[in-house]
């Protein structure tokens, strides 16, 4: 069958060549024209000129805009005079209206060359040593993986794999012919050359981008829809290849850089030391004593952990589909790595969130450094490191906190790419934006927010937008490639895409109940929800996942945040628009969600909130330095002293006050956690446990117990006992009673006398549960 398929590919390829030759008038293989007698041969381009040719069709930014180190760049926009932009002193903004500086707009980005009509002679494409290798090697690899991936496809779904194999075979043959003939046919060379000029890459990179799209599609075919992938190895390999090819196809070629300019950002040693110190501080506040703060292990954390265990045991292996609660499975693969390294414990599964939270602090420092200055960056990162909200979200074993990391990295990449023109920024933006879709759902609106921002950038700074358009387009393409396998799954299963939102939306029974009172209209209800969402930043206590009895920001931080918002509005430009949009998205999501302000809605925006908290202090330091240069050190000391006071308040609040009244998951989670720890340490491992908890809770209604005590055999006693129990005991057995069913203990004692009885009391003095242990 495979032989017939290959023969069909060869025959189809030959037919395509014949049709294209007749259609376009290009001869293939191209004839080698004999030069006239006495003619002087035309000079042939060098290999270096070959690679540089497409990029030279466009005008790159001046060397000054590329050569400055990353952290030393000014934070102002290349601005239209209609947008207020604060002038800078030593890279930091001041408010003096006389000092407003407007950079001249860079030269407009020229349009790509118009393709030649098909009736014109094919242009002579310069010889490129990389292009034949990319065509032949990429085509062969696509052909091979498509063949391997097709083996697990059900009947009726093999046509896409066949088409990918056909495309891979076509690329292989074109690459082989190019090796022999030394040039591409004009019908292929012209579009490659045009696209390469448009995106400022080489023709070989255009082929890499096309291959990335094919491998991303193949990933979806090999992954399938179930917990077990059709071809797990092929799916993961194809996805990684797709991402790698998309990145390789997007990097700027050395020939596109002006003399002395580097494609990579420059980071000085102080930035490295500061980022390392901030990471260590943030990780210490998030990864120590994770079983004490919080002191319960919620059922949601247990369910997530159990799915991670299934990935380890082989019951599930599809990393590019969905796992527990309609969340993408990739996050649970991260948790499974921690479990494999450190065991099936609370500390292991919560460690992944702690690392993500600490990395978010580092990413925020980089964002503050790129947008403002080092002082503002350090202050913002310090506040995020000690924020009671962010510490908590980094200490629970759920996927929420990862959205802050990927969202901050995406905004950093977009802004850095926009300001500097370096392609690495846009690549980081695309990778973070795509990978973020595999974690929590609060990042899903970010691509739309970026499109809104891009529209504003086009409106206000059209010349610079044209100059940066290639990078913006490639960032979007990389994000698409990363997300495509999961995106195609959601296209086939739209209910799964909507599931996380459907669980919390106000539209449905919740809204019908609110309207039944007749006090408010639908619009008034939505507005009221939005107002609560806005007040959740500074005044309204948070709800649901984190319900400490306070707002996102405590008093001191809330005051600085409001001052930062006011400063941004008075000095509004594209930079502040990029920071405002996620905050507005939080308000909008709360407007249509139950229990506003829901704490998990603020995860994406929290790093940007920290940046607004630091902004007034950073700007005050800049102003004082400009007005009183000798007071520079004193100004910095005062700013950090204020931040230290705010940090002390937040840390004391979280570690000394929050858990006086707050219990993660509520009373049932507290009971389940205590039972789980008791059973985990109880011997023998395979002991049977009869649980008297219904209707309040069952042994498996929260996954806390099954995760922390996986070796115990749990059995729910649903119906109340009305007489002496008769259970088929097979050895030492435990009977666990919740307080409301403790009266049934006597029936168990009558049937199995002589057992040991124990009561477990909570911190408030109330009975949590009772245990009766028999010898069998």
């Amino acid at each position: 069958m495979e032989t017939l398929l290959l023969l069909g590919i060869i025959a189809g390829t030959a037919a395509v060549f014949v049709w294209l030759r007749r259609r376009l008038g290009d001869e293939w293989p191209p004839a080698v024209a004999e030069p006239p007698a006495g003619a002087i041969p035309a000079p042939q381009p060098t290999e270096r000129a070959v690679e540089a040719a497409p990029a030279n069709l466009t005008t790159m930014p001046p060397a000054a805009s590329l050569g400055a180190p990353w952290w030393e760049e000014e934070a102002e926009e290349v601005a239209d005079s209609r947008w207020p932009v604060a002038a800078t002193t030593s890279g930091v903004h001041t408010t003096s209206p006389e000092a407003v500086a407007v950079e001249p707009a860079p030269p407009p980005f020229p349009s790509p060359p118009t393709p030649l009509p098909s009736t014109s002679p094919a242009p002579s494409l310069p010889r490129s040593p990389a292009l034949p290798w990319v065509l032949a090697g990429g085509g062969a690899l696509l052909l091979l993986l498509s063949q391997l991936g097709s083996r697990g496809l059900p009947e009726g779904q093999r046509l896409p794999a066949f088409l990918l194999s056909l495309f891979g075979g076509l690329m292989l043959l074109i690459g082989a012919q190019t090796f022999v003939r030394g040039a591409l046919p004009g019908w292929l060379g012209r579009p490659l050359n045009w696209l390469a000029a448009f995106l400022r890459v080489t023709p070989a990179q255009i082929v890499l981008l096309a291959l990335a799209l094919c491998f991303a599609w193949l990933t979806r075919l090999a992954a399938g829809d179930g917990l077990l992938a059709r071809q797990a190895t092929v799916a993961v390999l194809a996805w990684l290849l797709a991402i790698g090819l998309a990145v390789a196809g997007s990097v700027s070629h050395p020939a596109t850089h002006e003399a002395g300019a580097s494609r990579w950002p420059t980071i000085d040693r102080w930035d490295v030391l500061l980022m390392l110190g901030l990471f260590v501080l943030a990780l210490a506040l998030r990864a120590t004593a994770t079983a004490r703060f919080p002191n319960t292990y919620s059922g949601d954390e247990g369910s997530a952990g159990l799915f991670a265990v299934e990935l380890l045991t082989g019951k599930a292996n599809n990393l590019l589909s969905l796992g527990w609660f309609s969340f993408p499975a990739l996050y649970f693969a991260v948790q499974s790595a921690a479990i494999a390294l450190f065991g099936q414990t609370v500390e292991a599964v919560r460690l992944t969130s702690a690392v993500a939270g600490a990395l978010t602090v580092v990413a925020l420092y980089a964002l503050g450094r790129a947008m403002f200055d080092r002082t503002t960056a350090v202050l913002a990162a310090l506040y995020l490191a000690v924020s009671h909200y962010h510490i908590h979200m980094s200490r629970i074993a759920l996927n929420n906190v990862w959205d802050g990391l990927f969202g901050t990295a995406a905004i950093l990449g977009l802004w850095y790419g926009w300001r500097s023109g370096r392609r690495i920024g846009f690549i980081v933006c695309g990778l973070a934006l795509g990978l973020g879709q595999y974690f929590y759902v609060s990042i899903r609106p970010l691509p739309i927010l970026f499109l809104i921002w891009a529209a504003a950038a086009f409106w206000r700074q059209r010349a610079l937008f044209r100059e940066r358009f290639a990078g913006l387009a490639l960032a979007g393409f990389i994000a698409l490639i990363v997300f495509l396998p999961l995106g195609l799954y959601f296209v086939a299963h739209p209910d799964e895409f909507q599931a996380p939102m459907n669980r919390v939306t106000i539209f449905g029974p919740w809204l019908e109940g609110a309207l039944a009172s007749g006090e408010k209209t639908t619009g008034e209800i939505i507005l009221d929800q939005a107002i609560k969402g806005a007040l959740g930043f500074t005044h309204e206590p948070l709800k649901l996942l984190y319900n400490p009895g306070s707002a996102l920001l405590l008093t001191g931080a809330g005051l600085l945040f409001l001052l930062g918002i006011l400063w941004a509005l008075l000095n509004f430009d594209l930079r502040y628009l990029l920071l405002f949009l996620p905050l507005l998205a939080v308000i909008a999501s709360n407007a249509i969600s139950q229990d506003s302000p829901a704490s998990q809605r603020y995860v994406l925006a929290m790093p940007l909130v920290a940046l607004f908290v630091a902004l007034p202090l950073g700007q005050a330091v800049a102003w004082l330095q400009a007005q009183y240069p000798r007071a520079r050190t004193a100004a910095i000391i005062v700013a950090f002293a204020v931040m230290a006071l705010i940090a002390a308040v937040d840390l004391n609040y979280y570690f000394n006050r929050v858990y006086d009244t707050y219990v993660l998951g509520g009373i049932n989670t507290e009971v389940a956690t205590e039972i789980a720890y008791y059973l985990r340490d109880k011997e023998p491992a395979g002991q049977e446990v009869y649980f008297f908890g219904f209707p309040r809770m069952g042994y498996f209604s929260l996954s806390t117990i099954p995760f922390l005590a996986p070796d115990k055999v749990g059995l729910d006693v649903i119906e109340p006992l009305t007489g002496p129990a008769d259970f088929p005991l097979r050895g030492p057995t435990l009977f666990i009673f919740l307080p409301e069913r403790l009266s049934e203990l006597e029936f168990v004692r009558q049937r199995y006398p002589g057992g040991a009885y124990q009561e477990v009391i909570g911190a408030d003095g109330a009975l949590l549960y009772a245990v009766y242990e028999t010898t069998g």
Side-chain angles (χ1 to χ4, degrees), residues 314-330:
K315 294 181 180 179
N317 65 0
N318 193 347
L319 306 185
L320 298 160
S321 183
L322 298 186
W324 166 75
F325 224 36
S326 298
F327 289 125
L330 187 61

Side-chain angles (χ1 to χ4, degrees), residues 276-498:
L276 181 61
L278 288 167
F279 177 79
V280 172
L281 172 65
L283 187 63
L285 293 173
R286 287 156 174 77
T288 56
T290 53
R292 286 186 56 202
F293 305 100
N295 58 359
T296 58
Y297 184 69
S298 69
D300 285 350
E301 291 179 286
S303 296
L306 286 176
F307 188 82
V309 172
E310 290 185 359
L311 290 173
L312 285 176
T313 59
K315 294 181 180 179
N317 65 0
N318 193 347
L319 306 185
L320 298 160
S321 183
L322 298 186
W324 166 75
F325 224 36
S326 298
F327 289 125
L330 187 61
Y331 163 72
F332 305 108
V334 176
Q335 277 196 320
S336 68
I339 294 173
L341 290 173
F342 305 109
Q344 193 168 327
T345 64
V346 172
E347 292 82 358
V349 291
R350 285 179 172 171
L351 179 62
T352 59
S353 296
V355 172
L359 289 175
T360 307
V361 172
V362 176
L364 178 62
Y365 172 84
L367 178 61
R369 194 74 173 93
M371 280 190 165
F372 299 100
D373 55 79
R374 181 176 286 148
T375 301
T376 304
V378 174
L379 290 170
L382 278 175
Y383 177 70
L384 186 65
V386 301
S387 161
H388 72 95
Y389 171 83
H390 201 261
I391 288 177
H392 179 78
M393 300 304 289
S394 303
R395 295 177 72 92
I396 56 176
L398 295 173
N399 55 0
N400 308 83
V401 74
W402 290 82
D403 277 11
L405 172 61
F406 289 115
T408 304
I411 295 172
L412 167 64
L414 177 61
W415 181 253
Y416 176 68
W418 174 262
R419 286 293 303 141
S420 69
R422 288 194 177 100
R423 193 62 59 80
I424 184 65
F426 295 113
I427 291 173
V428 169
C429 175
L431 289 173
L433 194 59
L435 285 172
Q437 308 303 316
Y438 287 84
F439 288 79
Y440 191 53
V441 297
S442 65
I443 200 173
R444 288 183 181 177
L446 196 57
I448 300 173
L449 302 182
F450 281 178
L451 288 176
I452 295 173
W453 183 87
F458 175 76
W459 178 35
R460 290 300 186 180
Q461 298 184 20
R462 193 161 301 182
L464 185 58
F465 182 87
R466 290 171 178 165
E467 185 71 18
R468 301 289 188 257
F469 181 77
L472 293 169
L474 288 170
F477 183 81
I478 292 173
L480 174 66
I481 292 299
V482 176
F483 174 63
L484 190 61
L486 184 62
L488 291 175
Y489 177 92
F490 284 141
V491 170
H493 305 278
D495 291 344
E496 295 288 358
F497 179 80
Q498 293 289 340

